[in-house]
Amino acid sequence: MLRIATRTLNRRFTMASTFANVAEEVKLDILSENHLEDNIAKRKEITRTFISDTITVPTQEMYQYATLATLGDDVYFEPSTRALENHVAKITGKEAALFLPSGTASNQIALRSHLAQPPYSIICDHRAHIHKYEAGGAAFHSGAAVLPIIPANEHHLTLKDVQSNMILSTDIHFAPTEVVALENTLNGTIFPQDEIIKISDFVHLQGKKMHLDGARIWHVAAETETSIKKLCEPFDSVSLCFSKGLGAPVGSCLVGSSAFISRARHFRKLFGGGMRQTGILAACAAYALTYNFPLLPAVHSLARKLEAGLEEIGAEITSRAETCMIFYDPSSIGVTYDEIGERASQLPEPLILGGSRVVVHIQTSEAAVNDFLSVVRQLSEEKKKSGFVKPDPTSANGNIYKDVYVRRLPKSTD
Ligand SMILES: Cc1ncc(COP(=O)(O)O)c(C=O)c1O
């Protein structure tokens, strides 16, 4: 009897000590001693980073608001998330909305929900995110062929581009086009709404679907002073992101008819995107819509200031600052992107730059724009001093040179 009791006690002791060991192994403190200072430095760095607007970070005020969100499970019902979805459905003029973890998930689930059984194809601009930067998702998830089109006007697709590339034939050699997917903004440029309407009328007449990657549709609304509803009207589905120009940490909404969103909700679960306590994320998005959307006109002004400065120095603008992005080419002043990046990284307060694309966002400081222009100006002066002469575009050599730098299409990343 005593032996059995001792054995049980021993086992309990062993279990307790084993559990303590496991708990010791499992526990983690990710907050370093310096993380508060690190975050202050990170916030500063973001004000001087021009590579994307996805790097924008939540403010203390956004965090504080988010902690007040509801605590439901979004696979079943999450009140704050449902409130966000209902609001986004309302402002886009659609029946329903679905909160998703990313713009890629939102675009890909939209395509999958529109498409039933291959063979079929999707038409889009050759620079479109769904074609270039979603890891071939349309082929993988939906078995769709993507037909990327180069716009004849080098700015946006026109009805003519769509008509001459859309596959409506019943010839069994082809994959009929089921979805025309547009992007607005695309590389920061605004798609003219009258052309969108023409394309949409034609596509709908053929009984086909229109999807919009509206990751940055907020910028179009802010710049053209057009309601989100009007911009979304020509589309059966629209994906809108909160985590780029609007500065929320995570999330996108997909909108469309109730039947379409029910289907998308099913695919979201199937693809593993059904999240649980998303209230805090929805609250960040709501905060961004309320407090950050109004900042976009100032962002666009700052982008135009940057563009004007670059032009004044003599750099070539290859894609204008219609909203928050500029593409430029400094070879016209004899300078390379690497030289600019290198010099900018050596400033007492460094700048972080990519190549041809410059993105201004709600956390970009005006001082960073001024410093960027100073770096380019300084390098341009140095090149002039060392004998660089801007080629005359009217001369034979100048024409060759112009071909090299003007024809290069803007390169896009996130
Ligand atoms: C136009 C556009 N669409 C979609 C996405 C994808 O969004 P995410 O990075 O959240 O997947 C991006 C990313 O920046 C984008 O720029």
Side-chain angles (χ1 to χ4, degrees):
M1 187 71 178
L2 185 66
R3 264 197 12 229
I4 291 170
T6 313
R7 225 184 287 144
T8 310
L9 254 177
N10 277 348
R11 206 166 60 231
R12 280 214 185 119
F13 177 74
T14 317
M15 272 175 66
S17 85
T18 307
F19 177 73
N21 290 344
V22 174
E24 192 56 32
E25 277 173 11
V26 167
K27 78 179 188 189
L28 170 70
D29 180 5
I30 54 165
L31 305 181
S32 74
E33 268 176 26
N34 319 326
H35 88 276
L36 288 178
E37 292 81 11
D38 289 349
N39 281 357
I40 291 168
K42 189 72 186 171
R43 285 186 194 282
K44 176 87 188 169
E45 182 188 289
I46 283 158
T47 66
R48 303 179 64 78
T49 301
F50 291 92
I51 56 171
S52 181
D53 49 8
T54 56
I55 52 120
T56 46
V57 289
T59 57
Q60 292 303 337
E61 293 78 11
M62 182 184 273
Y63 274 145
Q64 266 162 16
Y65 182 75
T67 60
L68 304 174
T70 53
L71 301 171
D73 178 335
D74 191 42
V75 170
Y76 302 105
F77 176 69
E78 205 303 297
S80 291
T81 311
R82 189 56 57 87
L84 173 72
E85 289 172 343
N86 289 344
H87 177 72
V88 176
K90 188 170 134 223
I91 62 172
T92 54
K94 303 297 181 204
E95 287 174 2
L98 180 67
F99 186 65
L100 287 145
S102 70
T104 302
S106 188
N107 279 331
Q108 291 301 325
I109 288 175
L111 295 175
R112 188 65 196 84
S113 303
H114 281 308
L115 298 167
Q117 172 65 49
Y120 38 53
S121 58
I122 298 163
I123 278 189
C124 62
D125 191 297
H126 72 123
R127 300 161 296 174
H129 202 276
I130 61 158
H131 166 54
K132 287 190 80 175
Y133 305 112
E134 297 187 5
F140 185 82
H141 298 298
S142 302
V146 175
L147 307 177
I149 303 170
I150 299 177
N153 61 21
E154 296 191 13
H155 183 272
H156 59 272
L157 291 176
T158 59
L159 174 60
K160 202 164 164 218
D161 292 325
V162 172
Q163 279 173 328
S164 48
N165 287 281
M166 197 164 169
I167 297 174
L168 297 166
S169 158
T170 50
D171 183 327
I172 56 164
H173 292 89
F174 302 120
T177 303
E178 285 300 324
V179 177
V180 172
L182 305 182
E183 189 173 312
N184 199 12
T185 61
L186 196 163
N187 284 346
T189 62
I190 297 175
F191 206 132
Q193 191 68 8
D194 54 350
E195 198 62 41
I196 291 180
I197 292 168
K198 281 188 214 159
I199 295 171
S200 169
D201 288 348
F202 173 74
V203 169
H204 285 141
L205 211 64
Q206 313 305 320
K208 308 299 180 186
K209 298 283 190 276
M210 290 281 291
H211 172 71
L212 176 67
D213 179 349
R216 295 183 181 82
I217 196 71
W218 317 108
H219 295 266
V220 184
E223 188 59 30
T224 63
E225 301 182 349
T226 308
S227 71
I228 301 281
K229 180 168 182 280
K230 202 157 179 203
L231 296 172
C232 294
E233 226 158 46
F235 297 94
D236 300 286
S237 59
V238 182
S239 168
L240 309 93
C241 292
F242 307 113
S243 63
K244 302 180 174 70
L246 289 191
V250 174
S252 298
C253 259
L254 177 63
V255 297
S257 70
S258 299
F260 171 81
I261 291 298
S262 296
R263 200 166 146 75
R265 196 175 284 280
H266 207 157
F267 279 122
R268 183 183 72 171
K269 189 79 186 96
L270 187 157
F271 289 158
M275 299 179 287
R276 302 296 180 173
Q277 285 71 38
T278 51
I280 46 169
L281 300 180
C284 287
Y287 184 95
L289 289 171
T290 308
Y291 296 102
N292 290 350
F293 175 73
L295 306 177
L296 296 183
V299 168
H300 300 171
S301 294
L302 199 53
R304 281 192 291 271
K305 173 179 168 161
L306 183 47
E307 174 186 86
L310 287 170
E311 268 190 311
E312 190 254 313
I313 297 165
E316 196 74 24
I317 304 297
T318 53
S319 180
R320 299 224 151 256
E322 294 182 29
T323 57
C324 63
M325 290 182 201
I326 300 148
F327 289 80
Y328 77 113
D329 187 336
S331 60
S332 51
I333 48 173
V335 180
T336 67
Y337 298 116
D338 284 349
E339 284 170 320
I340 296 171
E342 178 70 17
R343 185 70 61 89
S345 71
Q346 288 163 1
L347 292 173
E349 289 182 6
L351 298 172
I352 301 181
L353 302 168
S356 60
R357 187 177 86 153
V358 188
V359 185
V360 177
H361 51 75
I362 54 171
Q363 288 161 348
T364 306
S365 72
E366 186 151 11
V369 168
N370 293 338
D371 289 350
F372 179 27
L373 291 174
S374 298
V375 164
V376 180
R377 191 172 290 111
Q378 198 182 47
L379 282 164
S380 169
E381 292 305 321
E382 286 170 18
K383 295 289 170 171
K384 270 189 215 156
K385 275 192 193 129
S386 64
F388 176 81
V389 181
K390 186 175 177 176
D392 174 3
T394 58
S395 77
N397 275 349
N399 274 335
I400 292 163
Y401 159 80
K402 195 165 177 61
D403 258 12
V404 172
Y405 76 82
V406 172
R407 291 224 182 148
R408 188 183 302 154
L409 285 164
K411 190 175 180 308
S412 167
T413 57
D414 279 350

